[in-house]
Amino acid sequence: MSNHQSRRSFLGHAAAGFSILTMPRLARAQAQLQPATEPPPRALQLEHAVAAPVSVEVNARSIPNFESRDRARTRFGSLDFRSGLVLTSPYRGFGGLSGIRFLDNKGERFLAISDQGGWFTGTIRYSGREMVGLADVEAAPLLGADGRPITDKRLWYDSESLARDGNLVYVGLERVNQILRYDFAKGGTRARGEVIAVPPAVRKLPYNKGLEALVVVPKNQNQALAGTLIAFSERGLDADGNLVAFLIGGPTPGQFSVRRSENFDISDAVLLASGDLLILERKFSWFTGVNIRIRAIPLKSIAPGALVDGLMLFSADLGHEIDNMEGIDAHVTAEGDTVLTLISDDNFSMLQRTLLLQFTLVE
C-alpha cells in the first residue's frame, strides 16, 4: 500500500462494535492500514444536513492515473480510464454522495444526493475528454410532502438511491425503506416528495442494508418491464443467500434475486441503452480493505421469481484510486463512446475522499 493510502486509513476501529484488542496481531496491523468505508450504525447525526438552498464552492484536484503501480495502464477489464477528480469543499454539508444522475445527454449537468437528505446540482467542466472541475454547484434539502426537509422526521435522512424518469426523480431512503417521488417540473430541487407504495417485503429489509439502488426502465426499452421501477437492496438476502430486488409498478411487478458472490453488496445500478443493467458492487474487510466491481446483467433476464447473474466487467482494490464508490451513471458522447461516471461517499470523514471517476466502456 502506498504512503498516501496509509495516510487516508481509518484509525477509529474501536468504534467497530468489538474491541480491537481481541484481534490477532496481524489483523490489528492490517486494520490500522485499511480505510473503513462502512462505519457501523451510529447515533443520529445530522450536522451535515442541508438546511436551505445554497451555492457551494467545490474544488477539484486531478487524478492523472487510476493505478499508481502502473501509471501507463489505462485499461481495466472492459473499462478504459478517462479521468478522475478529488473533490473538496469548505461547505460543511458537501459529502456523503450516494447517487448521481445526469440531467442532460452530454454528461455535464448532474443531480446527486447526499445521504443526509441533500440534493446537489451542478455542471462538470471538461477539457477535451477529461474532467477538470465542477461549476454552478448548489445544495438544497430534500423536501417531504409538507414542504419541510425530510430530515425533520426520525431516520428520514439516509437517502442512498436515485433514479430519473424524465421530470420524475425517485429517491430511496435506506433506514426506513421508503421511496419518494419528485416531479422536477414543479420546482426542480424545490419540489415536494411524495411517498409511493412499495411491496411489504421492502419495508422488512435489514436496517442500514436496505434500499441502495433504483433504476427506471424506459417505456420504449423493454416491453415486459416498461415503466417499471427496479429497486435493489444492499444486503437483503433471500433464503438462498442471494440479494433481493423488486419490480415496482409496470406490467409485471414482483420480486427477483441477484446472485451474490464473494460477499459483495450492491451499491448502485444504471441501465444502458444496449439493454444491459450494470450493477456497481463493493465489499469491505479488515484484511483486504475496499474492493469494487461492476457486473452486466441482461435486462431481458429480469422477471418475477428470476435469479439473475452477469459477466464481471471491472474490478478494483486499494491499489487503484478508489474509495467508497456508491454511485454510477452513464452517458454517450458525440463520438459514440459510452462513458461511466462513478462517485464516492466519503461518510463525511476527513480520512476518506469524494472521488469522481470516468471510464469508457469498451465493447
Side-chain angles (χ1 to χ4, degrees):
M1 177 180 292
S2 67
N3 289 335
H4 76 278
Q5 288 166 335
S6 297
R7 286 193 296 270
R8 295 199 312 268
S9 62
F10 182 85
L11 301 178
H13 298 304
F18 56 88
S19 171
I20 197 168
L21 297 176
T22 64
M23 300 171 65
R25 181 176 300 175
L26 177 60
R28 293 201 304 269
Q30 289 286 343
Q32 290 172 349
L33 292 174
Q34 305 295 355
T37 63
E38 288 187 274
R42 11 175 226 182
L44 183 62
Q45 296 181 5
L46 295 180
E47 67 269 28
H48 301 288
V50 180
V54 60
S55 295
V56 176
E57 175 189 349
V58 177
N59 303 308
R61 176 172 59 82
S62 174
I63 298 174
N65 314 103
F66 184 60
E67 183 180 22
S68 59
R69 297 168 297 196
D70 184 357
R71 297 185 178 184
R73 182 183 176 193
T74 63
R75 181 71 179 269
F76 302 90
S78 296
L79 305 189
D80 189 72
F81 181 64
R82 295 172 70 94
S83 65
L85 298 173
V86 181
L87 304 177
T88 58
S89 175
Y91 177 61
R92 184 175 177 81
F94 182 80
L97 301 179
S98 299
I100 186 169
R101 290 290 182 256
F102 286 113
L103 299 174
D104 60 21
N105 297 322
K106 299 179 181 179
E108 294 177 351
R109 294 177 55 242
F110 68 86
L111 173 70
I113 53 169
S114 161
D115 58 16
Q116 287 205 359
W119 299 111
F120 284 88
T121 57
T123 301
I124 299 176
R125 295 189 294 110
Y126 293 87
S127 176
R129 61 178 253 161
E130 296 186 2
M131 299 182 294
V132 294
L134 302 186
D136 304 320
V137 179
E138 183 187 79
L142 276 74
L143 302 180
D146 58 1
R148 300 180 62 83
I150 63 170
T151 51
D152 285 358
K153 293 185 178 182
R154 182 176 180 271
L155 300 182
W156 280 59
Y157 69 96
D158 204 0
S159 37
E160 290 280 349
S161 46
L162 180 65
R164 177 173 169 257
D165 181 19
N167 285 323
L168 297 179
V169 175
Y170 297 85
V171 175
L173 305 180
E174 185 179 28
R175 307 276 171 146
V176 293
N177 291 309
Q178 297 269 21
I179 298 175
L180 294 169
R181 179 174 57 208
Y182 292 86
D183 185 351
F184 268 39
K186 299 178 179 179
T189 56
R190 278 65 163 175
R192 299 184 178 193
E194 173 191 7
V195 175
I196 69 169
V198 297
V202 171
R203 302 297 305 279
K204 297 178 182 179
L205 290 171
Y207 179 82
N208 202 34
K209 295 294 179 183
L211 291 174
E212 192 74 18
L214 296 174
V215 170
V216 176
V217 181
K219 293 181 173 60
N220 62 352
Q221 188 155 354
N222 181 295
Q223 186 173 0
L225 298 176
T228 301
L229 178 65
I230 307 179
F232 297 89
S233 70
E234 179 179 4
R235 199 190 296 170
L237 304 179
D238 65 14
D240 297 317
N242 295 306
L243 299 158
V244 298
F246 303 88
L247 303 171
I248 301 173
T252 55
Q255 183 173 323
F256 68 100
S257 298
V258 179
R259 188 178 300 281
R260 187 173 191 242
S261 62
E262 301 180 39
N263 295 320
F264 275 91
D265 299 326
I266 293 175
S267 60
D268 203 3
V270 62
L271 181 60
L272 304 182
S274 64
D276 279 334
L277 184 71
L278 302 188
I279 304 292
L280 174 64
E281 298 176 299
R282 66 182 169 184
K283 71 174 177 179
F284 166 79
S285 80
W286 296 107
F287 299 98
T288 62
V290 188
N291 289 261
I292 67 168
R293 71 182 186 186
I294 296 175
R295 277 191 289 169
I297 296 174
L299 185 63
K300 63 183 180 182
S301 68
I302 296 177
L307 173 61
V308 302
D309 199 353
L311 180 68
M312 184 173 70
L313 303 181
F314 165 83
S315 64
D317 58 27
L318 287 178
H320 306 92
E321 290 284 358
I322 66 168
D323 207 281
N324 179 31
M325 311 310 298
E326 285 213 5
I328 185 172
D329 201 16
H331 73 279
V332 179
T333 68
E335 296 74 29
D337 292 334
T338 296
V339 177
L340 304 182
T341 299
L342 279 66
I343 198 164
S344 69
D345 173 0
D346 68 350
N347 289 305
F348 297 101
S349 167
M350 293 178 62
L351 303 173
Q352 293 180 247
R353 301 180 297 167
T354 298
L355 303 183
L356 192 65
L357 307 174
Q358 287 194 336
F359 300 84
T360 301
L361 177 60
V362 182
E363 301 295 341

mmCIF file of all heavy atoms in Angstrom, residues 46-71:
data_model
loop_
_atom_site.group_PDB
_atom_site.id
_atom_site.type_symbol
_atom_site.label_atom_id
_atom_site.label_comp_id
_atom_site.label_asym_id
_atom_site.label_seq_id
_atom_site.Cartn_x
_atom_site.Cartn_y
_atom_site.Cartn_z
ATOM 1 N N LEU A 46 -26.975 14.717 12.256
ATOM 2 C CA LEU A 46 -27.369 15.448 11.064
ATOM 3 C C LEU A 46 -26.639 16.775 10.967
ATOM 4 O O LEU A 46 -27.169 17.744 10.443
ATOM 5 C CB LEU A 46 -28.892 15.663 11.071
ATOM 6 C CG LEU A 46 -29.728 14.381 10.982
ATOM 7 C CD1 LEU A 46 -31.199 14.723 11.006
ATOM 8 C CD2 LEU A 46 -29.394 13.594 9.736
ATOM 9 N N GLU A 47 -25.424 16.813 11.470
ATOM 10 C CA GLU A 47 -24.677 18.062 11.413
ATOM 11 C C GLU A 47 -24.293 18.441 9.990
ATOM 12 O O GLU A 47 -23.893 19.576 9.728
ATOM 13 C CB GLU A 47 -23.418 17.989 12.286
ATOM 14 C CG GLU A 47 -22.359 17.008 11.797
ATOM 15 C CD GLU A 47 -22.505 15.623 12.376
ATOM 16 O OE1 GLU A 47 -23.648 15.239 12.714
ATOM 17 O OE2 GLU A 47 -21.490 14.923 12.486
ATOM 18 N N HIS A 48 -24.431 17.499 9.040
ATOM 19 C CA HIS A 48 -24.088 17.782 7.648
ATOM 20 C C HIS A 48 -25.333 17.924 6.765
ATOM 21 O O HIS A 48 -25.218 17.969 5.546
ATOM 22 C CB HIS A 48 -23.186 16.682 7.096
ATOM 23 C CG HIS A 48 -21.903 16.527 7.865
ATOM 24 N ND1 HIS A 48 -20.879 17.444 7.798
ATOM 25 C CD2 HIS A 48 -21.496 15.576 8.735
ATOM 26 C CE1 HIS A 48 -19.888 17.054 8.573
ATOM 27 N NE2 HIS A 48 -20.238 15.925 9.155
ATOM 28 N N ALA A 49 -26.500 17.968 7.365
ATOM 29 C CA ALA A 49 -27.720 18.126 6.583
ATOM 30 C C ALA A 49 -27.778 19.523 5.972
ATOM 31 O O ALA A 49 -27.282 20.500 6.549
ATOM 32 C CB ALA A 49 -28.941 17.887 7.462
ATOM 33 N N VAL A 50 -28.390 19.612 4.794
ATOM 34 C CA VAL A 50 -28.562 20.898 4.112
ATOM 35 C C VAL A 50 -29.830 21.549 4.643
ATOM 36 O O VAL A 50 -30.916 20.971 4.562
ATOM 37 C CB VAL A 50 -28.663 20.691 2.585
ATOM 38 C CG1 VAL A 50 -28.845 22.029 1.883
ATOM 39 C CG2 VAL A 50 -27.423 19.967 2.059
ATOM 40 N N ALA A 51 -29.708 22.750 5.179
ATOM 41 C CA ALA A 51 -30.852 23.407 5.801
ATOM 42 C C ALA A 51 -31.689 24.202 4.810
ATOM 43 O O ALA A 51 -32.905 24.302 4.951
ATOM 44 C CB ALA A 51 -30.377 24.336 6.923
ATOM 45 N N ALA A 52 -31.030 24.771 3.778
ATOM 46 C CA ALA A 52 -31.723 25.617 2.811
ATOM 47 C C ALA A 52 -30.888 25.668 1.535
ATOM 48 O O ALA A 52 -29.679 25.387 1.570
ATOM 49 C CB ALA A 52 -31.921 27.021 3.374
ATOM 50 N N PRO A 53 -31.492 26.022 0.392
ATOM 51 C CA PRO A 53 -30.722 26.114 -0.856
ATOM 52 C C PRO A 53 -29.545 27.080 -0.708
ATOM 53 O O PRO A 53 -29.687 28.173 -0.151
ATOM 54 C CB PRO A 53 -31.748 26.631 -1.862
ATOM 55 C CG PRO A 53 -33.065 26.176 -1.327
ATOM 56 C CD PRO A 53 -32.935 26.276 0.160
ATOM 57 N N VAL A 54 -28.383 26.675 -1.198
ATOM 58 C CA VAL A 54 -27.187 27.496 -1.065
ATOM 59 C C VAL A 54 -26.200 27.151 -2.176
ATOM 60 O O VAL A 54 -26.072 25.992 -2.577
ATOM 61 C CB VAL A 54 -26.528 27.270 0.318
ATOM 62 C CG1 VAL A 54 -26.123 25.814 0.514
ATOM 63 C CG2 VAL A 54 -25.346 28.191 0.525
ATOM 64 N N SER A 55 -25.520 28.166 -2.713
ATOM 65 C CA SER A 55 -24.444 27.927 -3.671
ATOM 66 C C SER A 55 -23.235 27.375 -2.931
ATOM 67 O O SER A 55 -22.934 27.800 -1.806
ATOM 68 C CB SER A 55 -24.070 29.222 -4.385
ATOM 69 O OG SER A 55 -25.139 29.682 -5.181
ATOM 70 N N VAL A 56 -22.546 26.440 -3.579
ATOM 71 C CA VAL A 56 -21.452 25.728 -2.916
ATOM 72 C C VAL A 56 -20.187 25.830 -3.763
ATOM 73 O O VAL A 56 -20.215 25.557 -4.968
ATOM 74 C CB VAL A 56 -21.819 24.250 -2.700
ATOM 75 C CG1 VAL A 56 -20.649 23.477 -2.102
ATOM 76 C CG2 VAL A 56 -23.043 24.122 -1.807
ATOM 77 N N GLU A 57 -19.104 26.197 -3.117
ATOM 78 C CA GLU A 57 -17.790 26.167 -3.775
ATOM 79 C C GLU A 57 -17.230 24.751 -3.689
ATOM 80 O O GLU A 57 -17.147 24.172 -2.606
ATOM 81 C CB GLU A 57 -16.839 27.144 -3.098
ATOM 82 C CG GLU A 57 -15.412 27.090 -3.630
ATOM 83 C CD GLU A 57 -14.439 27.912 -2.794
ATOM 84 O OE1 GLU A 57 -14.914 28.688 -1.935
ATOM 85 O OE2 GLU A 57 -13.216 27.745 -2.987
ATOM 86 N N VAL A 58 -16.843 24.205 -4.840
ATOM 87 C CA VAL A 58 -16.243 22.869 -4.871
ATOM 88 C C VAL A 58 -14.904 22.956 -5.590
ATOM 89 O O VAL A 58 -14.827 23.456 -6.719
ATOM 90 C CB VAL A 58 -17.152 21.851 -5.577
ATOM 91 C CG1 VAL A 58 -16.458 20.487 -5.646
ATOM 92 C CG2 VAL A 58 -18.484 21.721 -4.850
ATOM 93 N N ASN A 59 -13.869 22.493 -4.935
ATOM 94 C CA ASN A 59 -12.533 22.466 -5.518
ATOM 95 C C ASN A 59 -12.243 21.071 -6.060
ATOM 96 O O ASN A 59 -12.727 20.065 -5.519
ATOM 97 C CB ASN A 59 -11.490 22.848 -4.466
ATOM 98 C CG ASN A 59 -11.774 24.211 -3.853
ATOM 99 O OD1 ASN A 59 -11.955 25.192 -4.572
ATOM 100 N ND2 ASN A 59 -11.849 24.269 -2.525
ATOM 101 N N ALA A 60 -11.446 21.010 -7.122
ATOM 102 C CA ALA A 60 -11.165 19.729 -7.774
ATOM 103 C C ALA A 60 -9.667 19.582 -8.021
ATOM 104 O O ALA A 60 -9.007 20.518 -8.487
ATOM 105 C CB ALA A 60 -11.917 19.628 -9.089
ATOM 106 N N ARG A 61 -9.166 18.400 -7.687
ATOM 107 C CA ARG A 61 -7.775 18.053 -7.994
ATOM 108 C C ARG A 61 -7.767 16.832 -8.908
ATOM 109 O O ARG A 61 -8.464 15.847 -8.658
ATOM 110 C CB ARG A 61 -7.006 17.739 -6.704
ATOM 111 C CG ARG A 61 -5.563 17.278 -6.939
ATOM 112 C CD ARG A 61 -4.801 17.180 -5.625
ATOM 113 N NE ARG A 61 -5.406 16.246 -4.689
ATOM 114 C CZ ARG A 61 -5.224 14.924 -4.718
ATOM 115 N NH1 ARG A 61 -4.487 14.369 -5.669
ATOM 116 N NH2 ARG A 61 -5.786 14.167 -3.799
ATOM 117 N N SER A 62 -6.994 16.906 -9.963
ATOM 118 C CA SER A 62 -6.981 15.842 -10.968
ATOM 119 C C SER A 62 -6.359 14.559 -10.437
ATOM 120 O O SER A 62 -5.414 14.581 -9.642
ATOM 121 C CB SER A 62 -6.212 16.306 -12.206
ATOM 122 O OG SER A 62 -6.070 15.261 -13.147
ATOM 123 N N ILE A 63 -6.905 13.432 -10.894
ATOM 124 C CA ILE A 63 -6.316 12.115 -10.669
ATOM 125 C C ILE A 63 -5.722 11.672 -12.013
ATOM 126 O O ILE A 63 -6.453 11.257 -12.916
ATOM 127 C CB ILE A 63 -7.359 11.097 -10.192
ATOM 128 C CG1 ILE A 63 -7.954 11.532 -8.856
ATOM 129 C CG2 ILE A 63 -6.750 9.697 -10.074
ATOM 130 C CD1 ILE A 63 -9.102 10.651 -8.379
ATOM 131 N N PRO A 64 -4.438 11.778 -12.191
ATOM 132 C CA PRO A 64 -3.861 11.501 -13.510
ATOM 133 C C PRO A 64 -3.811 10.029 -13.884
ATOM 134 O O PRO A 64 -3.842 9.681 -15.063
ATOM 135 C CB PRO A 64 -2.447 12.085 -13.410
ATOM 136 C CG PRO A 64 -2.130 12.048 -11.950
ATOM 137 C CD PRO A 64 -3.431 12.267 -11.235
ATOM 138 N N ASN A 65 -3.733 9.158 -12.875
ATOM 139 C CA ASN A 65 -3.608 7.718 -13.132
ATOM 140 C C ASN A 65 -4.534 6.964 -12.204
ATOM 141 O O ASN A 65 -4.620 7.284 -11.017
ATOM 142 C CB ASN A 65 -2.168 7.235 -12.911
ATOM 143 C CG ASN A 65 -1.140 8.138 -13.547
ATOM 144 O OD1 ASN A 65 -0.498 8.915 -12.859
ATOM 145 N ND2 ASN A 65 -1.007 8.058 -14.857
ATOM 146 N N PHE A 66 -5.192 5.939 -12.729
ATOM 147 C CA PHE A 66 -6.091 5.159 -11.897
ATOM 148 C C PHE A 66 -5.332 4.137 -11.066
ATOM 149 O O PHE A 66 -5.776 3.760 -9.990
ATOM 150 C CB PHE A 66 -7.134 4.461 -12.772
ATOM 151 C CG PHE A 66 -8.172 3.702 -12.000
ATOM 152 C CD1 PHE A 66 -8.995 4.355 -11.091
ATOM 153 C CD2 PHE A 66 -8.328 2.332 -12.163
ATOM 154 C CE1 PHE A 66 -9.945 3.667 -10.364
ATOM 155 C CE2 PHE A 66 -9.288 1.636 -11.441
ATOM 156 C CZ PHE A 66 -10.098 2.307 -10.535
ATOM 157 N N GLU A 67 -4.170 3.701 -11.546
ATOM 158 C CA GLU A 67 -3.370 2.715 -10.809
ATOM 159 C C GLU A 67 -1.961 3.258 -10.623
ATOM 160 O O GLU A 67 -1.222 3.413 -11.604
ATOM 161 C CB GLU A 67 -3.322 1.363 -11.531
ATOM 162 C CG GLU A 67 -2.552 0.315 -10.754
ATOM 163 C CD GLU A 67 -2.502 -1.028 -11.464
ATOM 164 O OE1 GLU A 67 -2.673 -1.076 -12.685
ATOM 165 O OE2 GLU A 67 -2.285 -2.032 -10.771
ATOM 166 N N SER A 68 -1.595 3.536 -9.395
ATOM 167 C CA SER A 68 -0.278 4.108 -9.129
ATOM 168 C C SER A 68 0.845 3.105 -9.363
ATOM 169 O O SER A 68 1.982 3.501 -9.611
ATOM 170 C CB SER A 68 -0.214 4.635 -7.690
ATOM 171 O OG SER A 68 -0.462 3.595 -6.761
ATOM 172 N N ARG A 69 0.526 1.828 -9.321
ATOM 173 C CA ARG A 69 1.552 0.800 -9.514
ATOM 174 C C ARG A 69 1.994 0.709 -10.968
ATOM 175 O O ARG A 69 3.094 0.238 -11.259
ATOM 176 C CB ARG A 69 1.009 -0.558 -9.052
ATOM 177 C CG ARG A 69 0.677 -0.628 -7.579
ATOM 178 C CD ARG A 69 -0.106 -1.870 -7.225
ATOM 179 N NE ARG A 69 -1.405 -1.922 -7.882
ATOM 180 C CZ ARG A 69 -2.393 -2.735 -7.516
ATOM 181 N NH1 ARG A 69 -2.220 -3.560 -6.499
ATOM 182 N NH2 ARG A 69 -3.555 -2.722 -8.153
ATOM 183 N N ASP A 70 1.128 1.124 -11.890
ATOM 184 C CA ASP A 70 1.436 1.084 -13.319
ATOM 185 C C ASP A 70 0.768 2.292 -13.966
ATOM 186 O O ASP A 70 -0.356 2.225 -14.435
ATOM 187 C CB ASP A 70 0.921 -0.226 -13.933
ATOM 188 C CG ASP A 70 1.290 -0.370 -15.412
ATOM 189 O OD1 ASP A 70 1.888 0.582 -15.962
ATOM 190 O OD2 ASP A 70 0.981 -1.418 -15.994
ATOM 191 N N ARG A 71 1.478 3.416 -13.975
ATOM 192 C CA ARG A 71 0.879 4.672 -14.386
ATOM 193 C C ARG A 71 0.588 4.746 -15.876
ATOM 194 O O ARG A 71 -0.188 5.602 -16.319
ATOM 195 C CB ARG A 71 1.783 5.824 -13.962
ATOM 196 C CG ARG A 71 1.932 5.906 -12.444
ATOM 197 C CD ARG A 71 2.722 7.106 -12.007
ATOM 198 N NE ARG A 71 2.800 7.165 -10.544
ATOM 199 C CZ ARG A 71 3.365 8.145 -9.867
ATOM 200 N NH1 ARG A 71 3.905 9.171 -10.509
ATOM 201 N NH2 ARG A 71 3.389 8.106 -8.545
#
